[in-house]
């Protein structure tokens, strides 16, 4: 059977940085995110009995050896569940150009999970799909449910899953991804997370993060944008403080990043409700309400540090798609 799925990337407002169990990718703390409408991956999977090995292709680019190995082991997991030995043909395509610094592992493993599970004839619940996606790439589990999503830590694999807090049409907010640097990062999140406990601020972050989960859910419920943006910034700075004080230190920001953060602070002082968050990279996710998007875009395009932008609204989670890539 051939199946295709489309899945969004997501941006975390309360971040996942650190694992309780590395093999099972169980995070140290809960996280809260939003799916991104304009950063998606589409993947078609077909299991074919006559194939000798998995054939994996990235349209408009190429996977490296490690990426292929990670995809094959995810296919192995799905073959295990379906009791099948058939190899797969996989074609995958990102909506955002490779090399924009946008992590494709969340959208990629979410799309692969839904397409491959369907192609293998498995019928899994949304919760089961999030657990399976998590084993491929942690943050991919948050790209399965609709809109605004929480992912829980847990003692066991079955306890660490993701669910929708609010649907994608719940709140008209924007994430404008401002791209200032387009090279792949030197140290992956998986690698970086291995050294979290070398940071003296790691334990402090663990004490605070539970409270921030409560507060951000409260801000979402109230649709209180300034509370929401303030907590997202706080958590982003907390995660980057841990990263910067790990050994070896991970400093993802560059001068263009700082230029944009300082501009955001200035615009806010001038009365524009705008906030920021960043993942493991220098590109800035600029958060605003839909009504302020036009004004903010004018300001952003006025900055010389900006290479390009991706404008996102809240989006549904991974879905089966009728048009195949092959
Ligand atoms: O899922 P990974 O291994 O790519 O980790 C993602 C970690 C951050 O993007 C830095 C934070 C997050 O919660 O998305």
């Amino acid at each position: 059977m051939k199946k295709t799925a489309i899945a969004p990337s997501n941006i975390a407002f309360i971040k996942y940085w650190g694992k309780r169990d590395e093999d099972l990718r169980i995070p140290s703390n809960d996280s809260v995110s939003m799916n991104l409408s304009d950063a998606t991956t589409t993947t078609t999977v077909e299991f074919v009995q006559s194939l000798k090995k998995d054939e994996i292709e990235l349209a408009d680019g190429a996977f490296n050896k490690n990426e292929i190995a990670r995809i094959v082991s995810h296919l192995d997991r799905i073959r295990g569940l379906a009791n099948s030995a058939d190899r797969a043909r996989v074609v995958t395509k990102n909506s955002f150009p490779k090399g924009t610094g946008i992590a494709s592992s969340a959208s990629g493993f979410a799309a692969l999970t839904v397409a491959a599970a369907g192609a293998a004839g498995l019928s899994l619940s949304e919760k089961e799909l999030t657990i399976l996606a998590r084993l491929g790439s942690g943050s991919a589990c948050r790209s399965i449910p609709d809109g605004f999503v929480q992912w829980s830590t847990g003692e066991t694999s079955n306890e660490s899953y993701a669910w929708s807090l609010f649907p994608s049409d719940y709140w008209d907010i924007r994430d404008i991804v401002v791209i200032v640097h387009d090279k792949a990062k030197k140290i992956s999140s998986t690698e970086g997370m291995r050294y979290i406990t070398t940071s003296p601020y790691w334990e402090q972050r663990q004490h605070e993060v539970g409270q921030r989960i409560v507060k951000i859910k409260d801000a979402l419920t109230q649709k209180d944008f300034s509370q929401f943006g303030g907590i997202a910034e706080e958590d982003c700075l907390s995660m980057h403080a841990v990263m910067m004080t790990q050994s070896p230190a991970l400093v993802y920001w560059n001068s263009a990043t700082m230029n944009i953060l300082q501009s955001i602070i200035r615009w806010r002082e001038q009365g524009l409700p705008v906030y920021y968050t960043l993942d493991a990279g220098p590109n800035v996710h600029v958060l605003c309400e839909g009504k302020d998007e036009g004004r903010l875009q004018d300001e952003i395009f006025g900055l010389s540090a900006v290479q390009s932008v991706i404008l996102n609204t809240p989006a549904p989670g991974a879905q089966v798609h009728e048009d195949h890539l092959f």
Side-chain angles (χ1 to χ4, degrees), residues 10 12 14-17 25 31 105 137-140 142 189-190 193 239 243 279-280:
N10 67 74
I14 305 296
K15 309 286 190 182
Y16 150 53
W17 189 250
R25 293 181 194 274
S31 51
S105 68
S137 176
S139 56
R142 295 188 310 232
S189 304
T190 304
M193 282 185 208
M239 179 182 76
M243 289 168 159
D279 278 341

Side-chain angles (χ1 to χ4, degrees), residues 199 239-253:
S199 164
M239 179 182 76
H240 281 272
V242 171
M243 289 168 159
M244 288 178 192
T245 50
Q246 286 181 207
S247 175
L250 294 176
V251 182
Y252 288 111
W253 302 4

Side-chain angles (χ1 to χ4, degrees), residues 185-229:
K185 58 190 172 210
K186 287 195 199 87
I187 298 180
S188 68
S189 304
T190 304
E191 181 67 12
M193 282 185 208
R194 290 205 176 112
Y195 307 106
I196 41 166
T197 53
T198 58
S199 164
Y201 302 115
W202 161 246
E203 265 187 52
Q204 181 58 30
R205 171 165 169 74
Q206 287 309 291
H207 287 307
E208 299 164 358
V209 74
Q211 255 320 97
R212 280 202 287 269
I213 293 271
V214 174
K215 283 192 196 157
I216 203 128
K217 283 166 70 173
D218 188 48
L220 276 166
T221 306
Q222 311 291 329
K223 295 189 182 171
D224 181 337
F225 190 69
S226 61
Q227 195 199 341
F228 167 79

